[in-house]
Amino acid sequence: MTTPTPAQDRVLIFDTTLRDGEQSPGATMSHAEKLEIAQLLDEMGVDIIEAGFPIASDGDFQAVRDIARLAQRATICGLARANFTDIDRCWEAIREAKSPRIHTFIGTSPLHREITKLDQDEMVQRIHDTVTHARNLCDNVQWSPMDATRTERDYLCRVVETAIKAGASTINIPDTVGYTYPRESAEIIAMLRERVPGADAVILATHCHNDLGMATANALAAVEAGARQIECTINGLGERAGNTALEEVVMALKVRNDILPYRTSIDSTKIMNISRMVAAVSGFPVQFNKAVVGKNAFAHESGIHQDGVLKNAETFEIMRPEDIGLQATNLVMGKHSGRAALRAKMAQLGYELADNQLKDVFVRFKALADRKKEVYDDDLIALMQDSAASGADDHLQLRRLRVICGTDGPQEAELTMTVGGVEKSIDATGDGPVDATFNAVRMLFPHEAHLELYQVHAVTEGTDAQATVSVRLEAEGRIFTGQSADTDTVVASARAYVNALNKLVLAQARGNASAMIHAG
Ligand code: KIV
Ligand code: ZN
């Protein structure tokens, strides 16, 4: 990969959905989901994919290693703290990538120095030693002073100079707690370029969190001051209020290229598809009015707006829906639609279906169309996400569910599931149909995982609308998320629960979670 200098107009996009994004409580993704997202990031033109934190767990290590093996275009980066064990493990995970990068960091602000019990000189020595060690393994090393925006400016210059001298070729400036402001974000980059020898020979990166809602503005201000790498995540996923959203910076640079004359390598038409994918697998739905990818981002409700848009879309639209991969389609799907129409429609929505996939999705589509008069785009997207969530090899599979509801007395669920290939049935009661169903699942498959979140969203309007249900389970400090969609909310709930449990079973089989499940 060529290394542009700040004088050039190319801004590198560093995506950390799979590391900082996944670190956000509850956003844990399965191995297969991480690989699928990495593939989409690679295809959409992301320059650097931060694939994970290899020392964190065997699961993280395996995911980073497998992503390193599959990436065709992107540089694959792993995160490591400032110690040799972390860095060695990181290198093991990324070394097979076509273009590997080690990203090592240490907290440099007074608060963090207190935690690590290193004084200023000791920390400088640690930075020198760890960056040198990383550089001896890999010729592409990124270094970050965590909490840079709350680090004394003189000391920040000193540590950045140390890392550059030790061989880091990218210096990332994290606003770890989302504290900075656009003018200050720009000033820090300008100061480093002015005061630190060698700063213009490396890539300066910006990594902003969104605690005050300024992550995108702060990242763009840093770019104007000379930063040439933006660290971001899909849908702004990330710790607390999240990170800079990839879709926001990419579209801002595109739409306002008149005042932000920089380019990225991102194919923006792939944004919508990956946004949906990340929302589905992380269990973090995109807020309706989210910039660029929210459901309402291109919806015009008021009469004046609708009239204007019909006459000339530019009256109220600064970007075209198709720029982010939203197709204006005229294919209406219903129970008479055939396979070819379904394949074409799915392609418009960003899903290229192989023949065997089409077969399976078509069966599900027909079942849905039998229950629903009109099948909307959002229904098909939910159906795709639902198909991705379950597989024929799953340990737990829902066979039959019948619930009995009434105004008096507890609700009752009659459930049949296969557990490891053996069919089992049970009746259970509960406070409401979902509670009764979950009790039945627990009786057929006893486990200690704790239900952290249960969330229902209507996919479209109308009483025949599908419901998307997200379930988040916690077991031994690890999070497992399940999702499903169905016109029957209770069925979707049961499937989402079972889906999360299947992920837990898989993690246990890989040795990542031990003794969480009783034989059942
Ligand atoms: O926010 C932060 O400081 C980080 C670092 C690890 C780069 O994510
Ligand atoms: Zn971060």
Side-chain angles (χ1 to χ4, degrees):
M1 194 181 65
T2 54
T3 307
T5 68
Q8 293 177 321
D9 67 353
R10 173 82 152 78
V11 173
L12 300 173
I13 295 295
F14 176 110
D15 182 278
T16 183
T17 306
L18 297 172
R19 199 278 299 168
D20 215 331
E22 212 236 359
Q23 222 164 288
S24 122
T28 311
M29 301 168 196
S30 71
H31 186 83
E33 289 164 348
K34 287 182 188 175
L35 261 54
E36 199 169 339
I37 289 172
Q39 175 119 26
L40 293 177
L41 291 169
D42 197 29
E43 284 168 10
M44 85 188 292
V46 161
D47 298 284
I48 306 111
I49 298 172
E50 188 162 50
F53 195 179
I55 197 84
S57 70
D58 287 347
D60 271 57
F61 177 88
Q62 284 157 15
V64 177
R65 187 200 52 202
D66 290 352
I67 291 169
R69 287 174 178 164
L70 78 80
Q72 294 301 311
R73 305 200 307 205
T75 292
I76 300 303
C77 176
L79 185 68
R81 287 167 301 188
N83 65 67
F84 288 9
T85 316
D86 269 41
I87 291 171
D88 291 346
R89 188 78 174 142
C90 177
W91 175 238
E92 273 311 304
I94 58 166
R95 62 187 305 166
E96 289 179 50
K98 288 193 168 78
S99 166
R101 174 184 291 189
I102 296 175
H103 177 192
T104 179
F105 74 101
I106 194 164
T108 51
S109 66
L111 282 166
H112 284 277
R113 293 201 304 268
E114 208 175 300
I115 292 169
T116 45
K117 299 201 184 332
L118 294 174
D119 67 22
Q120 290 199 354
D121 292 340
E122 288 166 341
M123 186 166 282
V124 163
Q125 187 60 48
R126 174 77 74 91
I127 293 162
H128 170 270
D129 294 348
T130 49
V131 173
T132 304
H133 182 71
R135 194 63 178 73
N136 285 336
L137 298 169
C138 180
D139 61 11
N140 187 344
V141 172
Q142 167 167 333
W143 181 75
S144 295
M146 187 167 71
D147 208 10
T149 53
R150 293 192 302 168
T151 299
E152 306 91 322
R153 298 295 186 257
D154 286 348
Y155 190 56
L156 185 62
C157 289
R158 186 172 166 211
V159 290
V160 166
E161 184 176 347
T162 305
I164 293 174
K165 282 199 175 129
S169 49
T170 300
I171 300 291
N172 174 41
I173 302 301
D175 182 28
T176 306
V177 289
Y179 178 71
T180 199
Y181 171 78
R183 192 176 60 223
E184 186 184 55
S185 173
E187 278 165 7
I188 294 173
I189 298 294
M191 175 198 72
L192 293 172
R193 292 184 61 200
E194 197 181 303
R195 291 179 50 187
V196 177
D200 268 346
V202 299
I203 294 288
L204 293 179
T206 176
H207 176 112
C208 300
H209 282 264
N210 203 30
D211 299 64
L212 293 172
M214 292 191 282
T216 295
N218 289 334
L220 294 173
V223 167
E224 286 197 282
R228 286 294 176 270
Q229 176 176 300
I230 298 180
E231 306 211 352
C232 48
T233 58
I234 301 293
N235 298 339
L237 195 69
E239 294 259 36
R240 306 180 311 280
N243 290 61
T244 301
L246 179 145
E247 63 276 8
E248 292 178 15
V249 285
V250 166
M251 292 315 287
L253 291 175
K254 210 173 158 122
V255 173
R256 295 315 309 272
N257 204 253
D258 52 334
I259 54 169
L260 292 164
Y262 312 103
R263 33 183 201 100
T264 73
S265 57
I266 300 295
D267 174 356
S268 68
T269 64
K270 303 217 185 289
I271 284 178
M272 210 50 228
N273 190 24
I274 193 163
S275 163
R276 289 182 189 127
M277 174 79 192
V278 169
V281 304
S282 66
F284 277 64
V286 175
Q287 78 193 51
F288 280 17
N289 59 342
K290 162 86 179 61
V292 184
V293 291
K295 200 181 164 100
N296 288 356
F298 292 92
H300 302 280
E301 184 73 28
S302 93
I304 297 173
H305 284 215
Q306 284 180 348
D307 190 47
V309 168
L310 285 174
K311 288 184 176 129
N312 178 355
E314 283 181 30
T315 45
F316 291 102
E317 276 180 7
I318 56 166
M319 354 172 210
R320 294 171 308 160
E322 50 271 36
D323 291 343
I324 60 157
L326 269 176
Q327 304 288 341
T329 68
N330 45 17
L331 261 182
V332 179
M333 302 300 289
K335 66 176 174 188
H336 301 299
S337 307
R339 270 168 212 255
L342 182 66
R343 175 175 260 159
K345 179 64 151 183
M346 286 303 193
Q348 285 176 339
L349 294 174
Y351 301 100
E352 296 296 342
L353 298 182
D355 287 347
N356 57 341
Q357 243 183 327
L358 178 67
K359 217 166 122 190
D360 172 54
V361 171
F362 189 67
V363 172
R364 286 167 175 250
F365 160 71
K366 280 286 175 188
L368 180 63
D370 272 343
R371 281 178 286 152
K372 234 177 152 277
K373 246 198 335 259
E374 279 158 327
V375 179
Y376 299 102
D377 289 0
D378 284 342
D379 286 318
L380 294 173
I381 291 161
L383 188 138
M384 279 309 291
Q385 290 168 350
D386 197 41
S387 328
S390 54
D393 301 337
D394 288 345
H395 187 71
L396 303 175
Q397 301 196 9
L398 188 73
R399 290 284 180 245
R400 271 181 308 283
L401 174 64
R402 195 163 163 263
V403 288
I404 301 157
C405 296
T407 47
D408 46 0
Q411 277 66 36
E412 216 179 304
E414 299 168 10
L415 176 72
T416 302
M417 290 200 311
T418 53
V419 180
V422 181
E423 192 163 296
K424 300 181 174 193
S425 299
I426 199 124
D427 290 358
T429 55
D431 287 332
V434 175
D435 191 48
T437 304
F438 281 23
N439 285 341
V441 171
R442 269 190 291 271
M443 286 160 79
L444 288 185
F445 184 68
H447 54 271
E448 282 173 6
H450 163 73
L451 180 67
E452 275 221 328
L453 174 102
Y454 168 75
Q455 204 166 255
V456 185
H457 283 278
V459 175
T460 56
E461 286 87 39
T463 48
D464 66 348
Q466 287 196 92
T468 295
V469 177
S470 300
V471 165
R472 195 184 295 160
L473 300 177
E474 187 273 336
E476 290 187 356
R478 294 202 62 202
I479 301 290
F480 303 90
T481 309
Q483 239 204 10
S484 187
D486 199 280
T487 49
D488 186 322
T489 309
V490 186
V491 171
S493 303
R495 284 219 205 100
Y497 190 21
V498 163
N499 176 227
L501 285 172
N502 278 323
K503 289 185 183 173
L504 189 150
V505 173
L506 216 64
Q508 195 201 32
R510 285 209 193 104
N512 290 335
S514 58
M516 293 181 296
I517 302 162
H518 303 300

